[in-house]
Every structure is written in structure tokens, then in C-alpha cells.
């Protein structure tokens, strides 16, 4: 039942700072996307919109596999986009894979990305 | 025939605080032998600390953290637990209960601990979505969810619960109004004076009040949209919280034919009218009294357990108890009578409006009959003790209101018991029912060394905090540890405090965050958003020029050198030295604003200009243009030197005594670029009329004919604090040396995110004077260290970024289809 995914190439992992994030130039239905790199070099992609009041998660501090939203300090899990309790809410997470040394992010197709 | 069953079946209705405390007490006595226990709970959870729902709502605790007993605990103790399955009927004749699921269980003994229900006022609209009470986890979850989606909340009821709800919602970013029927808040615990002070303080924190407000209706179509008061006023609301009171939950007992009145009537042995049925908690009525706080409920639980275990001598008596409001920074204490009621009663009051302090003790026949304290509550427990002990106070009556220390000076001996002289089984923590011996054993056996550790292991003082002083004194008597000298831990990742870490960084030569985290056994390998910026700062301050700043451990504003706004754009505030500017600078600002379509240009409260709403990818270009006109970063985004406000001074003003503007510029040139524990603001006024407001700054200079008065530790923010006078000097160079040395002392010793005002309030101005005035050599060394550190940071971060540094911060990542 996995819906179709369109992969986009965002280049080398070195473009993303360790324990940092970058916003992508593509959006998903008008919503910004970001790629996150943890201290142990794992990569996660999320819709860059905090479930609280739409803060830009890519500007937050990343520790372990969570990011702290810069606006009001909610903690969002990078792996599934869910807020860490007691806060509730989530943002969409997208698949990431590495191919030929490049980082690829999967966008759901039906929703249509606009580059 | 005379064979007794090996074990009796105890069925417990209610999985709340009273019920499970009784079971715990029973396990303590009998070790689980003698009873097979079955518990029914209406809520879908294991038992949790209801008191701490306020902390969950305020975001200080998660629901996991307030669990008292885990499912494993029930399993380990062979307790059968049915959650989410309320009992719907009791049949005393056949000794059975039936639950909603249809489950039928028979009992030998039954315990009813169904607590209470929130009172619902008789008004239309209660069933609209967006209306809830404040009683259980489900309510709190509703409120939290609502605060994420909606903006406005109305809390009906200005008692303890209502105010804690209001504060929690406020902390979660909602705008909150409280509707209260009576003329003053918490009128059952506070007299009118204290109630008014409380309202004033909460009002200052941004909570709106509708006093004498009778709610007539909750209006709304699909969901709650507002509240209408009897006088016609209408308050818009997306969330309405009802906190008007509680009513014992007696429906089951009534149906079973037990004797009820306001609550389930119990005798001193906490038995109901059926000798095999016991009842404890908020559902009971004992000698005409019903209960709403846990302290007496723990005593009921103890008695009930003893009775169940076959000890008929244990009886429940109700004692004087006290209440406190769990709102950080607001100290309220109340016990017993609120005011003189009988002819022989007397009141002693003390009121200091300036410090926001109010104390009242009610006397009856030379004994304390009640106390209401506001703003300063440390003596609360002492008054409660005098009340409980019935101590005759006539000898020290005139000193009573000033507290224990002062009273004891007069009598020359201890008045009332202190922690040391209390019996071992004395209950220290009312909220969690922890006895003195439990605390002492934990401190000894587990080698606990701080208040936090005692809290973690015993839960004592972890709920309302009222017994904190007692727990601290037990810690110092048992282990010789004075927790006052210990700082709170930096964050949840470690038990270590700020001072400890700063010392280790220097003494052990720790030069990376990883090294610090290793030495102190951090729980998470790369820390969290609280400790990372703190450690980064401590290392930067300890090893200037050597430690490499970690951008990823900085809050976004400091990382990108601009302030993030609520819509994700940024603001740009260039430095205007001492508030001075030039036509050229103003022209450059105007040009930049037009060229980049910057929506708002504003004069700030710090004597400079703010460009608001700049798109992130424009930042380097905006800075480049500003740089061309000589404008550099104003660090309006940093825990750093912000502004040096000045007045026109002797150059123009007819009252000016010195060149305050010129001195302000010199100070700003000296101090700009410095990273500090929190932001730092300076000001120089040309005479004591003080137009630059120097006496509410971190460091201020007030010029006088004879020279310069240097004042420190002021704050004009959340809690206004007037500066303390540091020293008067006669020359500008001395001002610069004192200022640099003061800032360096602050940089080296304050805790991260502690401004100079709370720092000085903590260490005392005498200490600062000793380091800067009495120790003149030390001052010169501090100043030298300041200048050394400054030599590495005084280059404009904007210029570097306009020239291409940290490019990745200001551009998005290109992507192409594969
Ligand atoms: C722009 C300005 C308001 C204005 O339009 O005038 C302002 C704006 C902000 N202030 Fe302020 N404060 C401004 C002067 C003040 C003043 C007045 C002053 O400096 O004389 C005060 C009271 C004086 C004081 O600090 O003691 C002030 C006390 C605060 C506080 C409370 C600090 C405290 O210790 O209690 C905060 C919150 C904080 O820092 O945690 C704060 C926080 C903020 C923040 C950073 C809120 C935030 O985190 O986003 C605002 C950033 C706006 C932005 O993006 O530019 N602002 N703020 C002023 C900038 C001055 C400047 O030129 O740099
Ligand atoms: C937000 C909040 C803050 C508070 N703060 C403080 C404070 O600071 N200090 C203080 O001393 N007190 C405080 N209290 C009060 C304190 O929590 C109560 O006094 C205490 O919880 C009462 O214990 P109880 O067991 O009688 O009732 P509860 O803890 O309410 O337990 C009763 C349980 O029985 C369940 N139940 C009801 N009917 C049935 C049924 N038919 N079948 C099965 N289960 C049933 C209920 O769902 C509930 O879980 C606070 C209360 C709240 C709500
Ligand atoms: S600028 Fe200051 S006072 Fe104004 S809203 Fe922001 S933080 Fe509050
Ligand atoms: S917008 Fe993210 S925490 Fe508020």
C-alpha cells in the first residue's frame, strides 16, 4: 500500500551541517521542506512546519534525534515528525536514502511537489 | 466451620490517590499476604499524582513523569487491575460489584475511593466542544491540544484549581481570562488583602480578571465561542475551563443504600454504614467534614489499611492543614482561620506594598488559629506547627509576625519542633505522604547529596514544594549537605550544577563539550537545547581565542545574527553608538528598507532603529549595504552587549554635569561583541534626573558634579529591579575599568541565562563590592581578562557573512529530480 514516491537529489551530505539542517528549495503543496543531520550522521526529512505555531524547525537546535523548535521550544522527533509529550501534534516526515554518494528525499507523488 | 479463608478478597473501587495509597499502606503492613486485591479504575491509566496535573498543563512535567505506580508494580504485587472499567453497581447483600464491562466480582471487604466530580454550574452550553473541567489526564490533554490550535481561553472559577489552570494555559501561549463569582480570588483560602495582591500579580503576568462575574451562558454554534456574564459582558473564548468546585462522588454508595450526606458518611475507623465497606478520599464525609487536599487523605489511608489488617486501634482524626498555590514565583500560604471570627480573636498583620509582602496571623486565646501569607511564605510551616501543637505564644507575641528567628531571639530557646526533633513517623511531605524516617533512610542508604536527588528518590517536596525547607534541613542533618549552596542542575541531562561545571572546565582543563559531558556522565550523548548553549558559552568564556564556537549549539538568533520573528522572517538592528547617528547612516537605512521592501522600520526602546520583516536570504545583502555606510551588527539577537543608552549630557543640556553621550560611546566601543550569560544593557545619564534610565540597567552610570556614580544589577524587564550602588569614581578611565571588570566577573561567575539582576540578588552586592573595590588587584586582573577576551570578538559578524561566511545559513539547498 506504499504510495508512489518521487525521489529528488539534494547533493552531498556535506552540504548539511552536523547537528544542523537545511531548507530545500522545493516545497510540498506550498509547505517548506527541510533535511536534518544528527550528530551520528543520520539524515531525516520533514515538512519544515512546527505543529505548534508553524515555526521553522530547520532553525532549531538538534540533539539526539529530536529538534527543538526555535519559537516556543517544542521538541519534535526527527524520525516520525511527532511532538515529544506532553505536547501533541506532528509534521509529515519524508523518506531519505543515499545513492551514489548523494542524498535523495522522497516526495509523495499524488500531492505534487512544485520545484 | 471455623476455618477462615487464607486470604480475603479486597475489591477497590477507584484507582486514584486515596485508593492506591491505602493499598500501598496495606502492603507495607502485611507484605501482600492476607488479601487478594482487585482494583477497578474508571480512567484508562495506572494511578498517577493528580496534584501534578497543574505541572503537566504548565509544561513542566510529562504525563509519564506523574505516574505513581506502573503496571509492573500492580503485577509484582499480585494486584488485579481493570482500568477503563468503572464499577456500576454494588450489591451489599450478595457482596458483589458489577463493572461496566459486565464483569462481576465478589468481595469480602470493599473499599470505595471514587474521589469527587467537578461541579458544573447550571448554565446552558456546557456540552459544547471546547468546554472542559480540570480534574483528570483527559481534561489536561484537551486543554493542551486546544492551546496548540486556539488562542483564547476563559477559566470559570478563581480558586486554587482555576488559577493553576489559567497559569498553565497562559504558559502555553493562550490569552487567558478568569471569571470569578466572588469579589476576591481564592476567598476560601485567602483574606481580601492577600486575594487582591494575588490578583495584582497575576494581572501583571497577563491574566485578565472578571471579578464579581456571574457566568450566565456559554455561547457557540459548533463549539464554544464565548462566555456571557449576567451583567451582559461577553468574553470571546475558544476554550472554556470549568473550575468552580468539586462534589464528592457518591452515586454508587447511594445506589448501594449506604448512609450518605454530602459525602459517604464514615466513622473514625473509616467504615461506612456497612461494616465490610470502607471509604477514603474526597468521596467521604467524616464528622461533617469533606476533604479536598491530600494531607488528611493520607491519614485516612493509613487508618484504613490498619483496620483492614486487623488493627482496630487505628483511628482517623482530622488535623489543621495548609494550602499553597502551585504557580512558580507566586508564594501563597494559608492555614486555619482567615480572619478574626469570635470576639476573643485577634489579628496581627504586616504589609509591605513595595515588596509585595503581606502576612496575617489570627490568634485565639493566645494560640495561633490561622495564618495567611503572601509574597514571603517561609514561616508558613512554623505557624502551622504552632497551630497543630497549640503552643501558647504570649511570651513572643510582639515578635510572632516577624518569624521564628526573631521570636527565638526573644525567648532564647527553640519554639516549636524543627525537623530534627520531629518523631520518625512524622509526615514531612503532605502531597506525597513521605515520613521523616523514609527520607532519612533514603539519604543514608542511597547516599543522596542534593534536594533534587531526595526528590527523585522519595518524591518528598516534589509536588507543591511546601515542605522544601524541612527536607533541606533533614538533608543537612543527615548528610551534612547544605543544599542552598548547591545550584540547580543545568538541565535534565545532568545532576551537576552550573558552578560545578564552570569550575571543572577551568580546573581540569576541559576544552570541548564532549569532555564536559563525559566527566559529568551526561545522560544524552549530545545534550539538549538547554545545556548545549550553556556549555558552549562556558567554554567560550573560559578559553577565549582557543575554544571554537559551535554554531549548532546556539539559538537560531545567535547562529544567524538576526532575530527570528513569528513568521520566520528576521529583524536587523544596526549599532548606533550611544544612540548617536548621522544623516549618512539614516540614508543608508532608508535605502536598504526601500531596496529590500522591508515592511517595518521602528525606533526601538534602546535608542536605535530596527528593520523588521527581512527575508532570510536577503540578510547578507542587507548587511553589505549597511556596512558600506559604516553600520555594524547591534547584537540585538544575542546574549551579548546590547545597547548603551545615553542622554545629551553636558554638551547640550543645561543640567548636564559630564559628557554622558561621549562616555556612553566609549563604553559601547569597549564592550561591544562580548558574549555574556544573558543580555547586557548599559546607560549613562548626565545628571541624577537620569533621562537614560541608568538605574534599571545591568550597569549604569549617573554623572554628578564630583564624578560618576556606577550602579549595577538593574532590570527593567519582567521583574523590575533598581540597581545597587557600586562605587563613585572621579575619572572616565576608572568608569571603563570598573565596567570591564564588572562585566568580566559577571561573565565568569553567573549562570547561563541569568541576568545581572538575579545574579546579584543571589550572590549579594557585598560580594561584588568585595571583588571589585576591596580587592583592587583582583579588579585590575578581571579588567585585563576582559580586554584579552574582547580582542578575539570585536570584528563585525555581519561583515564576515556579507562576504560569504556561513553561506549555507542563508540559502536553501538545491534539489533536482532523479
Ligand atoms: C526591539 C525592542 C522593542 C522595541 O521595539 O523597542 C525589543 C524587542 C524584543 N525584546 Fe526587549 N526589546 C527592546 C527593548 C527592551 C527593553 C528596553 C531597554 O533596553 O531599555 C527592555 C527592558 C529593559 C531590560 O532589559 O531590563 C526589554 C526587555 C526584554 C525582555 C525581559 C528581560 C528581563 O530580564 O526580564 C525580554 C525577554 C528575554 O530577554 O528573555 C525581551 C525580548 C525581546 C525579544 C528579543 C523577544 C524575542 O525573543 O523575540 C524582542 C525581539 C524583537 C526583534 O526581533 O527585534 N526584551 N526589551 C527593543 C530593542 C532594543 C534594542 O535596540 O536592542
Ligand atoms: C489539578 C489539580 C491540582 C491539585 N492540587 C493539589 C495540591 O496542590 N495539594 C493537594 O493537597 N491536593 C491537590 N489536589 C487535590 C487532590 O488531587 C485530591 O485531593 C486527591 O486526588 C483525592 O484523591 P481521591 O483518591 O479521593 O480521588 P481521585 O484521585 O480523584 O481518585 C478517584 C478515582 O476514582 C475513579 N472512579 C470514580 N468513580 C469510579 C467508579 N465507579 N469505578 C471505578 N473508578 C471510579 C476516578 O476516575 C478517579 O480516578 C489537586 C487536584 C487537581 C485536580
Ligand atoms: S517587543 Fe518586547 S514587549 Fe513587545 S511584544 Fe516583543 S517581547 Fe513583548
Ligand atoms: S511554533 Fe514551534 S514551538 Fe511554537
Amino acid at each position: 500500500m506504499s504510495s508512489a514516491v518521487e525521489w529528488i537529489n539534494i547533493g552531498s551530505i556535506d552540504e548539511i551541517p552536523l547537528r544542523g539542517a537545511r531548507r530545500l528549495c522545493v516545497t510540498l503543496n506550498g509547505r517548506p521542506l527541510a533535511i536534518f543531520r544528527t550528530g551520528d550522521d543520520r539524515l531525516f526529512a520533514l515538512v519544515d512546519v512546527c505543529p505548534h505555531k508553524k515555526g521553522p524547525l530547520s532553525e532549531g537546535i538538534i540533539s539526539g534525534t529530536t529538534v527543538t523548535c526555535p519559537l516556543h521550544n517544542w521538541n519534535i522527533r526527527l524520525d516520525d515528525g511527532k511532538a515529544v509529550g506532553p505536547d501533541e501534534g506532528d509534521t509529515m516526515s519524508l523518506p531519505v536514502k543515499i545513492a551514489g554518494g548523494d542524498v535523495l528525499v522522497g516526495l509523495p507523488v499524488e500531492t505534487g511537489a512544485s520545484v | 466451620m471455623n476455618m477462615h479463608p487464607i486470604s480475603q478478597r479486597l475489591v477497590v473501587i477507584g484507582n486514584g490517590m486515596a485508593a492506591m495509597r491505602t493499598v500501598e499502606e496495606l502492603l507495607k503492613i502485611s507484605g501482600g499476604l492476607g488479601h487478594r486485591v482487585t482494583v477497578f479504575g474508571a480512567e484508562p491509566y495506572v494511578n498517577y499524582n493528580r496534584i501534578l496535573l497543574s505541572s503537566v498543563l504548565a509544561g513542566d512535567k510529562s504525563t509519564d513523569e506523574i505516574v505513581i505506580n506502573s503496571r509492573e508494580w500492580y503485577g509484582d504485587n499480585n494486584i488485579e487491575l481493570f482500568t477503563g472499567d468503572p464499577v456500576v453497581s454494588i450489591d451489599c447483600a450478595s457482596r458483589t460489584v458489577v463493572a461496566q464491562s459486565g464483569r462481576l466480582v465478589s468481595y469480602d471487604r470493599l473499599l470505595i475511593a471514587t474521589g469527587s466530580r467537578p461541579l458544573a454550574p447550571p448554565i446552558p452550553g456546557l456540552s459544547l466542544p471546547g468546554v472542559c473541567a480540570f480534574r483528570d489526564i483527559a481534561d489536561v490533554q484537551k486543554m493542551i491540544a486546544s492551546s496548540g490550535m486556539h488562542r483564547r481561553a476563559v477559566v470559570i472559577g478563581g480558586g486554587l484549581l482555576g488559577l493553576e489552570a489559567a497559569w498553565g494555559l497562559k504558559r502555553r501561549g493562550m490569552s487567558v481570562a478568569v471569571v470569578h463569582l466572588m469579589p476576591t480570588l481564592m476567598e476560601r483560602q485567602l483574606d481580601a488583602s492577600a486575594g487582591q495582591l494575588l490578583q495584582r500579580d497575576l494581572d501583571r503576568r497577563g491574566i485578565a480578571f472578571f471579578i464579581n462575574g456571574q457566568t450566565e451562558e456559554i455561547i457557540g454554534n459548533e463549539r464554544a465561542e464565548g462566555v456571557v456574564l449576567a451583567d451582559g459582558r461577553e468574553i470571546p473564548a475558544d476554550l472554556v475551563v470549568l473550575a468552580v468546585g468539586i462534589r464528592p462522588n457518591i452515586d454508587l454508595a447511594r445506589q448501594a443504600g449506604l448512609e450518605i450526606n454530602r459525602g459517604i458518611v464514615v466513622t473514625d475507623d473509616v467504615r461506612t454504614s456497612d461494616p465490610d465497606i470502607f471509604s477514603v478520599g474526597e468521596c467521604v464525609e467524616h464528622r461533617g467534614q469533606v476533604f479536598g487536599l491530600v494531607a488528611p487523605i493520607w491519614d485516612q489511608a493509613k487508618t484504613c489499611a490498619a483496620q483492614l489488617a486487623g488493627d482496630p486501634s487505628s483511628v482517623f482524626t482530622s488535623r489543621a492543614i495548609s494550602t499553597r498555590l502551585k504557580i512558580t514565583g507566586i508564594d501563597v500560604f494559608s492555614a486555619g482561620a482567615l480572619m478574626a471570627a469570635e470576639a476573643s480573636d485577634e489579628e496581627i498583620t504586616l504589609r509591605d506594598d513595595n515588596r509585595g509582602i503581606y502576612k496575617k496571623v489570627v490568634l485565639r486565646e493566645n494560640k495561633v488559629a490561622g495564618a495567611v501569607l503572601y509574597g514571603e511564605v517561609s514561616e508558613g510551616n512554623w505557624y502551622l506547627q504552632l497551630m497543630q501543637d497549640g503552643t501558647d505564644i504570649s511570651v513572643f507575641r510582639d515578635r510572632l509576625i516577624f518569624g521564628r528567628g526573631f521570636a527565638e531571639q526573644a525567648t532564647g530557646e527553640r519554639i516549636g519542633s524543627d525537623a530534627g526533633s520531629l518523631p520518625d513517623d512524622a509526615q514531612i511531605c503532605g502531597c506525597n505522604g513521605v515520613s521523616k524516617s523514609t527520607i532519612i533512610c533514603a539519604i543514608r542508604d542511597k547516599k543522596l547529596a542534593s534536594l533534587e536527588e531526595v526528590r527523585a528518590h522519595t518524591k518528598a517536596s516534589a509536588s507543591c514544594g511546601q515542605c522544601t525547607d524541612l527536607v533541606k534541613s533533614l538533608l543537612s542533618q543527615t548528610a551534612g549537605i547544605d543544599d542552598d549552596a548547591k545550584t540547580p542542575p543545568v538541565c535534565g541531562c545532568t545532576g551537576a550544577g552550573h558552578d560545578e561545571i564552570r569550575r571543572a572546565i577551568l580546573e581540569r582543563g576541559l576544552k570541548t563539550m564532549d569532555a564536559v559531558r563525559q566527566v559529568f556522565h551526561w545522560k544524552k550523548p549530545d545534550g539538549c537545547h538547554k545545556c548545549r548553549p550553556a556549555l558552549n558559552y562556558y567554554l567560550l568564556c573560559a578559553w577565549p581565542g582557543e575554544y571554537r564556537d559551535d554554531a549548532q549549539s546556539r539559538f537560531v538568533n545567535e547562529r544567524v545574527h538576526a532575530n527570528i520573528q513569528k513568521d520566520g522572517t528576521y529583524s536587523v538592528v544596526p549599532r548606533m553608538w550611544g544612540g548617536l547617528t548621522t544623516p549618512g547612516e539614516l540614508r543608508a537605512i532608508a535605502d536598504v528598507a526601500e531596496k529590500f521592501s522591508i515592511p517595518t522600520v521602528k525606533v526601538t526602546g534602546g535608542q536605535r532603529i530596527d528593520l523588521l520583516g527581512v527575508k532570510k536570504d536577503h540578510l547578507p545583502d542587507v548587511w553589505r549595504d549597511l556596512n558600506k555606510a559604516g553600520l555594524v551588527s547591534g547584537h540585538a539577537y544575542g546574549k551579548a552587549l546590547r545597547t548603551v543608552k545615553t542622554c545629551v549630557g553636558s554638551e547640550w543640556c543645561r543640567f548636564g554635569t559630564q559628557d554622558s553621550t561621549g562616555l556612553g560611546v566609549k563604553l559601547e566601543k569597549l564592550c561591544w561583541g562580548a558574549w555574556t550569560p544573558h543580555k547586557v544593557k548599559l546607560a549613562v545619564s548626565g545628571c541624577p534626573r537620569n533621562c537614560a534610565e541608568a538605574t534599571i540597567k545591568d550597569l549604569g552610570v549617573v554623572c554628578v558634579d564630583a564624578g560618576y556614580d556606577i550602579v549595577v544589577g538593574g532590570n527593567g524587564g519582567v521583574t523590575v529591579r533598581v540597581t545597587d550602588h557600586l562605587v563613585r569614581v572621579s575619572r572616565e578611565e576608572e568608569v571603563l575599568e570598573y565596567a570591564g571588570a564588572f562585566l568580566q566577573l559577571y561573565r565568569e561567575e553567573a549562570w547561563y541565562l541569568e541576568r545581572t539582576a538575579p545574579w546579584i540578588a543571589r550572590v549579594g552586592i557585598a560580594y561584588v563590592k568585595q571583588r571589585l573595590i576591596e580587592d583592587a588587584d583582583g579588579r585590575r586582573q578581571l579588567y585585563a581578562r576582559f580586554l584579552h577576551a574582547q580582542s578575539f570578538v570585536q570584528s563585525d559578524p555581519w561583515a564576515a557573512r556579507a562576504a560569504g561566511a556561513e553561506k549555507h545559513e542563508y540559502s536553501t539547498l538545491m534539489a533536482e529530480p532523479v
Side-chain angles (χ1 to χ4, degrees), chain A residues 49-57 68-76 87, chain B residues 566:
Chain A
V49 176
C50 176
H52 178 220
K53 293 192 175 166
K54 304 198 171 81
L57 297 173
T68 307
C69 176
L71 293 196
H72 318 93
N73 290 335
W74 278 32
N75 289 307
I76 309 298
D87 299 318
Chain B
K566 59 189 217 179

Side-chain angles (χ1 to χ4, degrees), chain B residues 433-492:
Chain B
V434 189
S435 70
K436 178 179 164 189
S437 59
T438 309
I439 298 174
I440 291 182
C441 291
I443 295 173
R444 283 212 190 105
D445 298 350
K446 306 204 171 97
K447 305 212 174 4
L448 308 183
S450 70
L451 179 65
E452 276 317 307
E453 286 176 6
V454 178
R455 282 188 176 153
H457 282 92
T458 66
K459 293 185 190 153
S461 84
S463 294
C464 84
Q466 195 170 327
C467 59
T468 302
D469 287 343
L470 281 176
V471 177
K472 275 191 195 163
S473 76
L474 286 178
L475 183 63
S476 92
Q477 284 161 21
T478 314
I481 290 162
D482 183 5
D483 193 276
D484 286 329
K486 235 182 136 85
T487 64
V490 171
C491 68

Side-chain angles (χ1 to χ4, degrees), chain B residues 652-669:
Chain B
W652 295 98
C653 177
R654 65 204 163 103
F655 295 117
T657 60
Q658 312 281 353
D659 176 15
S660 49
T661 325
L663 178 56
V665 174
K666 283 182 193 146
L667 278 168
E668 193 161 355
K669 296 259 166 175

Side-chain angles (χ1 to χ4, degrees), chain A residues 2-112:
Chain A
S2 77
S3 55
V5 161
E6 179 193 331
W7 294 95
I8 52 167
N9 184 333
I10 57 170
S12 153
I13 187 174
D14 299 332
E15 300 287 328
I16 311 151
L18 200 63
R19 291 190 197 89
R22 294 284 303 275
R23 239 191 206 184
L24 310 187
C25 66
V26 283
T27 59
L28 190 62
N29 293 331
R31 290 176 306 165
L33 304 176
I35 177 102
F36 299 79
R37 178 176 172 189
T38 63
D40 53 3
D41 270 341
R42 284 189 287 163
L43 293 168
F44 299 97
L46 295 179
V47 168
D48 195 13
V49 176
C50 176
H52 178 220
K53 293 192 175 166
K54 304 198 171 81
L57 297 173
S58 57
E59 303 287 20
I61 291 183
I62 294 159
S63 28
T65 46
T66 56
V67 58
T68 307
C69 176
L71 293 196
H72 318 93
N73 290 335
W74 278 32
N75 289 307
I76 309 298
R77 276 203 293 268
L78 297 174
D79 50 1
D80 59 5
K82 289 210 169 69
V84 177
D87 299 318
E88 284 180 34
D90 58 10
T91 185
M92 187 177 184
S93 73
L94 305 171
V96 179
K97 66 180 181 188
I98 308 253
D102 281 347
V103 180
L104 309 187
V105 175
L107 307 181
V109 171
E110 323 76 25
T111 37

Side-chain angles (χ1 to χ4, degrees), chain B residues 581-796:
Chain B
T581 184
T582 63
E585 286 180 353
L586 293 174
R587 205 170 285 124
I589 289 173
D591 286 344
V592 149
E594 281 183 352
K595 180 167 163 191
F596 296 95
S597 312
I598 294 172
T600 301
V601 181
K602 180 179 184 301
V603 175
T604 73
Q607 299 189 338
R608 47 197 192 166
I609 292 176
D610 195 350
L611 296 155
L612 293 134
V614 183
K615 297 206 179 63
K616 196 180 181 195
D617 50 348
H618 287 165
L619 286 172
D621 295 333
V622 167
W623 293 333
R624 190 174 312 116
D625 283 4
L626 293 174
N627 279 164
K628 277 186 206 141
L631 289 160
V632 298
S633 162
H635 292 84
Y637 45 79
K639 310 290 172 238
L641 178 87
R642 296 282 176 93
T643 55
V644 180
K645 280 171 78 163
T646 69
C647 70
V648 285
S650 60
E651 207 186 335
W652 295 98
C653 177
R654 65 204 163 103
F655 295 117
T657 60
Q658 312 281 353
D659 176 15
S660 49
T661 325
L663 178 56
V665 174
K666 283 182 193 146
L667 278 168
E668 193 161 355
K669 296 259 166 175
L670 171 72
C671 302
W672 76 277
W675 294 112
T676 41
H678 203 308
K679 61 190 174 191
V680 168
K681 298 173 179 182
L682 273 54
V684 188
S685 285
C687 82
R689 287 171 194 76
N690 194 14
C691 298
E693 299 159 339
T695 47
I696 50 165
K697 292 291 176 275
D698 296 281
L699 182 138
V701 180
V702 180
C703 303
V704 290
D705 281 325
Y708 307 86
D709 275 326
I710 303 179
V711 293
V712 293
N715 188 310
V718 182
T719 313
V720 179
R721 181 179 196 269
V722 175
T723 44
D724 292 309
H725 187 262
L726 181 66
V727 66
R728 174 176 290 183
V729 296
S730 55
R731 293 177 302 116
E732 279 194 345
E733 293 72 52
E734 291 173 281
V735 176
L736 297 181
E737 180 176 312
Y738 269 100
F742 173 76
L743 283 188
Q744 187 64 13
L745 185 66
Y746 170 59
R747 295 183 72 230
E748 289 179 2
E749 299 194 355
W751 303 340
Y752 191 66
L753 292 190
E754 183 176 45
R755 279 192 75 175
T756 59
W759 170 59
I760 291 186
R762 178 165 64 82
V763 301
I765 184 67
Y767 171 74
V768 178
K769 283 186 172 167
Q770 183 237 315
R771 293 289 304 270
L772 297 182
I773 302 172
E774 286 151 45
D775 181 4
D777 250 2
R779 176 181 74 240
R780 281 187 283 273
Q781 281 162 19
L782 279 165
Y783 186 49
R785 287 205 292 280
F786 183 67
L787 294 179
H788 175 68
Q790 287 298 81
S791 69
F792 300 101
V793 291
Q794 290 198 323
S795 62
D796 181 24

Side-chain angles (χ1 to χ4, degrees), chain B residues 453-531:
Chain B
E453 286 176 6
V454 178
R455 282 188 176 153
H457 282 92
T458 66
K459 293 185 190 153
S461 84
S463 294
C464 84
Q466 195 170 327
C467 59
T468 302
D469 287 343
L470 281 176
V471 177
K472 275 191 195 163
S473 76
L474 286 178
L475 183 63
S476 92
Q477 284 161 21
T478 314
I481 290 162
D482 183 5
D483 193 276
D484 286 329
K486 235 182 136 85
T487 64
V490 171
C491 68
C493 300
T494 175
H498 295 263
D499 293 333
E500 216 178 320
I501 289 175
R502 298 201 78 165
R503 226 176 299 122
I505 288 176
L506 287 174
E507 287 168 7
R508 299 174 162 208
L510 307 178
K511 297 200 171 166
T512 62
M513 281 194 253
D514 277 335
V516 178
R517 289 191 287 248
Q518 232 160 44
V519 166
F520 288 97
H521 306 293
W522 237 249
K523 287 182 202 140
K524 294 193 219 144
D526 50 12
C528 70
H529 71 282
K530 286 192 185 135
C531 56

